[in-house]
Amino acid sequence: MRAPDWSPHPTVLRGTAYAACFVVVGVATWMVLVVLGRLGLALFPLGVALFATRALSIPAGWLRGRGWRPAPAAASTMVGALLVVAGIVAVIAPPMVEEFSDLGPTVDDGISEIEDWIVEDSPFDVTRQEVEEAEEEIVDRGREALASSEEEVTRGARAAVAGLAGLLLALILTFFALKDGPRFVAWMDEKTPEDKRTSVRAVAQASWDALGGYLRGAGLLGLVEAVVIGATMAIVGSGLVIPVMILTFAAAFVPIVGATVAGVIAVLVTLAAGGLVPALIVAVVAVLVQQLDNDLLAPWIYGKSLELHPATILVAITAGTALFGFVGTVLAVPLTATVVSSVIAVRDARAADHPKETAGEGPAPPAEPA
């Protein structure tokens, strides 16, 4: 009598093999992310240098095209960029410091107006004593939170020092990238195997173009937010319209977080200059324009600049924020655009080199001997 065959079904074996592959890939991905997290202090200046190099490569290339040597062209570009940043800070900082010096009394007056409205005109049956007790409770909770956050303050100070060191390193890396970038690209192209050069060139060019498209998209979004918020502040009679517009434009290059910080500053400036009602109007407009940008304009503008579908941009930002927080928010769009553009570039390069194979016709058969 023949013994029964207890071997697993082929479908079960195939599913087990796929599951094992997914587990291995997941563990490897997790290990890579852990290593990247440990190397955060090194990756931060590299990322900043990459964005700065992409933005400054245009004026540096223009100078080299006019006969400048690489080192003077890179140095002049860096000095010009630093002078522009210093000029913007000089325009923004002094009037904002002066305006914020009057913010404390304005906030106190606004709180008093809200307290009077709650006690006298609101539909709630609340006495002034109850409002004052609630206010004291909020103040006490805030003091307790500050007292218990000494460790967070220390950690924030360390992060600030590390950030300054990272920015200095990013400036140095940007200078060398502007100076030696073309030579390094030529060296890498020479070291690449002959049969891989077309694909590598296509990936590099697609990644470079995707990064430029991201910067153009962020600049356009910043321009829209700056114009809308600045116009609202001008209509309600607030001061510092131009400095806030410049700050809003610059903050657009940090998705979500930058726009939120710029909106808060716009509200505080309006509160200090015009009072509670104008500040509330600016707050409503800032929230509406940020929601419009995040949900509609950002996917559409990035999609046009990066040749990605708006849904892809929206999913990338959401997933990056959920998985990696602030860093994921900043890098989600350019990283997604780089990967997608690289894949498309490699496919097109292979199609150009082997049109029949990529079209599904297979290689041409050998010729019949004569």
Side-chain angles (χ1 to χ4, degrees):
M1 183 177 179
R2 184 178 180 182
D5 185 9
W6 295 103
S7 60
H9 193 273
T11 303
V12 177
L13 293 176
R14 189 179 298 111
T16 303
Y18 279 120
C21 291
F22 279 123
V23 170
V24 172
V25 172
V27 172
T29 303
W30 175 79
M31 293 177 66
V32 169
L33 293 177
V34 170
V35 173
L36 292 178
R38 298 293 184 182
L39 296 176
L41 292 178
L43 294 178
F44 169 71
L46 286 176
V48 174
L50 180 61
F51 282 98
T53 302
R54 184 62 181 92
L56 298 178
S57 61
I58 298 175
W62 184 84
L63 291 177
R64 285 197 302 270
R66 298 300 184 275
W68 286 51
R69 300 285 296 173
S76 300
T77 303
M78 292 289 296
V79 171
L82 292 176
L83 289 177
V84 170
V85 173
I88 292 174
V89 173
V91 170
I92 293 178
M96 280 195 169
V97 171
E98 182 179 356
E99 197 75 31
F100 283 159
S101 63
D102 299 329
L103 184 60
T106 305
V107 171
D108 292 337
D109 293 341
I111 293 176
S112 299
E113 292 179 8
I114 295 174
E115 182 179 329
D116 294 338
W117 177 82
I118 292 175
V119 175
E120 299 173 2
D121 300 328
S122 72
F124 307 107
D125 186 14
V126 180
T127 63
R128 188 172 297 275
Q129 182 179 358
E130 293 175 341
V131 173
E132 292 177 353
E133 291 177 354
E135 183 179 346
E136 292 177 358
E137 180 69 19
I138 294 175
V139 172
D140 292 339
R141 292 288 180 87
R143 290 174 178 172
E144 292 177 0
L146 290 176
S148 61
S149 61
E150 294 181 359
E151 183 178 353
E152 295 296 331
V153 173
T154 303
R155 188 179 305 172
R158 292 176 181 173
V161 173
L164 291 176
L167 287 177
L168 179 60
L169 179 58
L171 291 176
I172 298 173
L173 293 176
T174 302
F175 170 76
F176 283 111
L178 293 174
K179 173 180 174 291
D180 301 325
R183 187 172 62 181
F184 177 75
V185 171
W187 179 80
M188 287 294 296
D189 187 71
E190 182 182 350
K191 296 300 181 181
T192 303
E194 186 69 30
D195 58 335
K196 302 293 183 182
R197 286 184 182 177
T198 302
S199 298
V200 172
R201 290 171 182 171
V203 169
Q205 187 62 47
S207 302
W208 195 247
D209 293 340
L211 187 57
Y214 168 75
L215 293 177
R216 289 192 298 272
L220 185 56
L221 282 175
L223 181 62
V224 171
E225 293 179 0
V227 169
V228 173
I229 293 179
T232 305
M233 293 178 64
I235 291 173
V236 300
S238 174
L240 301 180
V241 175
I242 299 300
V244 171
M245 290 180 66
I246 296 175
L247 187 62
T248 303
F249 174 80
F253 291 90
V254 183
I256 300 177
V257 177
T260 302
V261 173
V264 170
I265 292 176
V267 172
L268 292 177
V269 169
T270 307
L271 179 63
L276 181 61
V277 175
L280 290 176
I281 295 175
V282 172
V284 171
V285 172
V287 171
L288 290 178
V289 72
Q290 289 172 15
Q291 290 300 317
L292 178 66
D293 283 354
N294 294 335
D295 298 336
L296 181 61
L297 289 182
W300 183 75
I301 290 176
Y302 282 137
K304 290 292 184 180
S305 300
L306 305 176
E307 298 182 356
L308 293 177
H309 193 277
T312 304
I313 301 295
L314 191 59
V315 171
I317 294 176
T318 304
T321 305
L323 292 175
F324 306 108
F326 173 73
V327 176
T329 302
V330 175
L331 298 180
V333 176
L335 185 60
T336 302
T338 299
V339 172
V340 174
S341 300
S342 301
V343 172
I344 295 175
V346 171
R347 184 196 62 189
D348 294 342
R350 290 179 177 177
D353 291 340
H354 309 286
K356 292 185 177 181
E357 293 183 17
T358 54
E361 300 178 5
E368 291 289 338

